[in-house]
Tab-separated table of all heavy atoms in Angstrom:
chain	number	residue	atom	x	y	z
A	59	SER	N	3.569	6.124	-5.421
A	59	SER	CA	3.647	6.158	-6.879
A	59	SER	C	2.618	7.143	-7.446
A	59	SER	O	1.809	7.697	-6.730
A	59	SER	CB	3.372	4.765	-7.464
A	59	SER	OG	2.004	4.426	-7.373
A	72	ASN	N	-11.397	-2.699	-1.683
A	72	ASN	CA	-11.720	-1.308	-1.308
A	72	ASN	C	-11.005	-0.880	-0.039
A	72	ASN	O	-10.612	0.279	0.092
A	72	ASN	CB	-13.239	-1.151	-1.114
A	72	ASN	CG	-13.984	-1.146	-2.434
A	72	ASN	OD1	-13.388	-0.862	-3.465
A	72	ASN	ND2	-15.250	-1.485	-2.412
A	75	VAL	N	-7.689	0.300	-1.045
A	75	VAL	CA	-7.796	1.582	-1.733
A	75	VAL	C	-7.973	2.715	-0.715
A	75	VAL	O	-7.329	3.750	-0.809
A	75	VAL	CB	-8.998	1.572	-2.739
A	75	VAL	CG1	-9.262	2.962	-3.262
A	75	VAL	CG2	-8.736	0.592	-3.867
A	79	LYS	N	-5.458	5.930	0.006
A	79	LYS	CA	-5.945	7.312	0.028
A	79	LYS	C	-5.512	8.010	1.341
A	79	LYS	O	-5.075	9.155	1.338
A	79	LYS	CB	-7.466	7.361	-0.081
A	79	LYS	CG	-7.998	7.056	-1.457
A	79	LYS	CD	-9.506	7.086	-1.466
A	79	LYS	CE	-10.074	6.702	-2.825
A	79	LYS	NZ	-11.559	6.664	-2.795
A	80	ASP	N	-5.634	7.286	2.470
A	80	ASP	CA	-5.244	7.836	3.759
A	80	ASP	C	-3.741	8.145	3.790
A	80	ASP	O	-3.310	9.175	4.273
A	80	ASP	CB	-5.602	6.901	4.919
A	80	ASP	CG	-7.085	6.904	5.240
A	80	ASP	OD1	-7.810	7.788	4.711
A	80	ASP	OD2	-7.512	6.033	6.013
A	96	PRO	N	7.343	27.573	9.593
A	96	PRO	CA	8.710	27.960	9.903
A	96	PRO	C	9.014	27.383	11.293
A	96	PRO	O	8.569	27.878	12.298
A	96	PRO	CB	8.686	29.485	9.944
A	96	PRO	CG	7.260	29.811	10.277
A	96	PRO	CD	6.411	28.694	9.726
A	100	ALA	N	15.527	32.792	12.962
A	100	ALA	CA	16.876	33.039	12.417
A	100	ALA	C	17.987	32.594	13.340
A	100	ALA	O	19.073	32.162	12.915
A	100	ALA	CB	17.034	34.520	12.077
A	108	THR	N	3.949	28.460	16.882
A	108	THR	CA	3.564	28.549	15.465
A	108	THR	C	3.472	27.155	14.839
A	108	THR	O	2.483	26.837	14.159
A	108	THR	CB	4.590	29.384	14.680
A	108	THR	OG1	4.678	30.655	15.285
A	108	THR	CG2	4.198	29.534	13.220
A	111	ALA	N	0.497	25.185	16.205
A	111	ALA	CA	-0.744	25.705	15.637
A	111	ALA	C	-0.969	25.176	14.213
A	111	ALA	O	-2.065	24.759	13.845
A	111	ALA	CB	-0.760	27.223	15.644
A	114	ASN	N	-1.938	21.500	14.433
A	114	ASN	CA	-3.336	21.354	14.863
A	114	ASN	C	-4.307	21.674	13.716
A	114	ASN	O	-5.326	21.049	13.574
A	114	ASN	CB	-3.634	22.225	16.075
A	114	ASN	CG	-3.454	21.456	17.368
A	114	ASN	OD1	-3.467	20.220	17.367
A	114	ASN	ND2	-3.303	22.155	18.464
A	116	ILE	N	-3.769	21.169	10.578
A	116	ILE	CA	-3.762	19.985	9.704
A	116	ILE	C	-4.546	18.849	10.339
A	116	ILE	O	-5.326	18.161	9.687
A	116	ILE	CB	-2.325	19.545	9.413
A	116	ILE	CG1	-1.665	20.594	8.497
A	116	ILE	CG2	-2.261	18.168	8.764
A	116	ILE	CD1	-0.176	20.412	8.299
A	119	ARG	N	-8.256	19.346	10.012
A	119	ARG	CA	-8.694	19.052	8.648
A	119	ARG	C	-8.711	17.573	8.326
A	119	ARG	O	-9.364	17.126	7.368
A	119	ARG	CB	-7.801	19.780	7.649
A	119	ARG	CG	-8.063	21.263	7.582
A	119	ARG	CD	-7.376	21.922	6.394
A	119	ARG	NE	-6.642	21.054	5.546
A	119	ARG	CZ	-5.452	21.315	5.106
A	119	ARG	NH1	-4.826	22.426	5.454
A	119	ARG	NH2	-4.817	20.509	4.292
A	121	LYS	N	-9.977	15.000	9.811
A	121	LYS	CA	-11.281	14.391	10.119
A	121	LYS	C	-11.166	12.922	10.508
A	121	LYS	O	-10.958	12.599	11.653
A	121	LYS	CB	-12.248	14.591	8.965
A	121	LYS	CG	-12.575	16.042	8.739
A	121	LYS	CD	-13.555	16.210	7.626
A	121	LYS	CE	-13.757	17.704	7.390
A	121	LYS	NZ	-14.408	17.992	6.177
A	127	GLY	N	-0.672	9.299	14.611
A	127	GLY	CA	0.543	9.286	13.828
A	127	GLY	C	1.076	10.682	13.559
A	127	GLY	O	2.272	10.913	13.564
A	139	PHE	N	6.211	19.163	22.531
A	139	PHE	CA	4.790	19.076	22.125
A	139	PHE	C	4.053	18.054	22.974
A	139	PHE	O	2.814	18.113	23.043
A	139	PHE	CB	4.663	18.639	20.661
A	139	PHE	CG	4.830	19.756	19.664
A	139	PHE	CD1	4.906	19.446	18.315
A	139	PHE	CD2	4.874	21.066	20.049
A	139	PHE	CE1	5.052	20.446	17.373
A	139	PHE	CE2	5.061	22.078	19.119
A	139	PHE	CZ	5.116	21.752	17.782
A	140	ILE	N	4.757	17.160	23.628
A	140	ILE	CA	4.094	16.129	24.411
A	140	ILE	C	3.157	16.743	25.426
A	140	ILE	O	2.146	16.152	25.791
A	140	ILE	CB	5.168	15.218	25.065
A	140	ILE	CG1	4.581	13.862	25.463
A	140	ILE	CG2	5.806	15.856	26.285
A	140	ILE	CD1	4.696	12.813	24.403
A	141	THR	N	3.446	17.980	25.864
A	141	THR	CA	2.600	18.646	26.859
A	141	THR	C	1.311	19.201	26.232
A	141	THR	O	0.391	19.550	26.964
A	141	THR	CB	3.341	19.802	27.547
A	141	THR	OG1	3.721	20.767	26.571
A	141	THR	CG2	4.568	19.284	28.282
A	144	PRO	N	-3.511	15.974	23.507
A	144	PRO	CA	-4.547	15.431	24.415
A	144	PRO	C	-4.117	14.086	24.963
A	144	PRO	O	-3.557	13.240	24.232
A	144	PRO	CB	-5.755	15.306	23.499
A	144	PRO	CG	-5.521	16.262	22.366
A	144	PRO	CD	-4.024	16.290	22.182
A	172	LEU	N	6.621	6.681	32.625
A	172	LEU	CA	8.022	6.681	33.067
A	172	LEU	C	8.464	5.278	33.407
A	172	LEU	O	7.936	4.682	34.323
A	172	LEU	CB	8.187	7.636	34.255
A	172	LEU	CG	7.889	9.106	33.961
A	172	LEU	CD1	8.019	9.926	35.236
A	172	LEU	CD2	8.785	9.651	32.873
A	185	GLY	N	22.654	13.507	29.518
A	185	GLY	CA	22.925	13.025	30.894
A	185	GLY	C	22.294	13.912	31.959
A	185	GLY	O	21.936	13.444	33.025
A	196	ASN	N	20.809	2.056	39.276
A	196	ASN	CA	22.259	2.136	38.976
A	196	ASN	C	22.532	2.112	37.493
A	196	ASN	O	23.454	2.768	37.027
A	196	ASN	CB	22.990	0.976	39.714
A	196	ASN	CG	23.122	1.241	41.199
A	196	ASN	OD1	22.964	2.353	41.648
A	196	ASN	ND2	23.424	0.195	41.929
A	204	THR	N	28.256	7.758	31.937
A	204	THR	CA	29.028	7.373	30.773
A	204	THR	C	28.850	8.380	29.638
A	204	THR	O	29.801	8.750	28.961
A	204	THR	CB	28.594	5.971	30.282
A	204	THR	OG1	28.769	5.033	31.364
A	204	THR	CG2	29.403	5.518	29.091
A	205	ASN	N	27.627	8.851	29.464
A	205	ASN	CA	27.313	9.786	28.421
A	205	ASN	C	27.817	11.191	28.772
A	205	ASN	O	28.316	11.911	27.876
A	205	ASN	CB	25.804	9.823	28.184
A	205	ASN	CG	25.387	10.744	27.093
A	205	ASN	OD1	26.021	10.830	26.069
A	205	ASN	ND2	24.310	11.497	27.320
A	214	SER	N	22.939	11.140	44.518
A	214	SER	CA	23.080	11.288	45.963
A	214	SER	C	24.245	10.429	46.459
A	214	SER	O	24.576	9.408	45.859
A	214	SER	CB	21.804	10.889	46.679
A	214	SER	OG	21.541	9.521	46.503
A	219	ASN	N	28.629	4.852	43.867
A	219	ASN	CA	29.507	3.721	44.135
A	219	ASN	C	30.837	3.894	43.413
A	219	ASN	O	31.003	4.813	42.612
A	219	ASN	CB	28.830	2.396	43.816
A	219	ASN	CG	28.570	2.163	42.336
A	219	ASN	OD1	29.385	2.564	41.484
A	219	ASN	ND2	27.461	1.542	42.036
A	223	SER	N	32.174	6.579	40.299
A	223	SER	CA	33.223	7.582	40.531
A	223	SER	C	34.363	7.404	39.513
A	223	SER	O	34.890	8.383	38.988
A	223	SER	CB	33.804	7.433	41.932
A	223	SER	OG	32.807	7.653	42.857
Side-chain angles (χ1 to χ4, degrees):
S59 73
N72 286 338
V75 170
K79 287 179 183 177
D80 285 350
T108 303
N114 267 341
I116 290 170
R119 285 192 2 226
K121 296 181 184 166
F139 277 171
I140 202 90
T141 61
L172 297 177
N196 285 343
T204 302
N205 182 42
S214 66
N219 67 37
S223 299

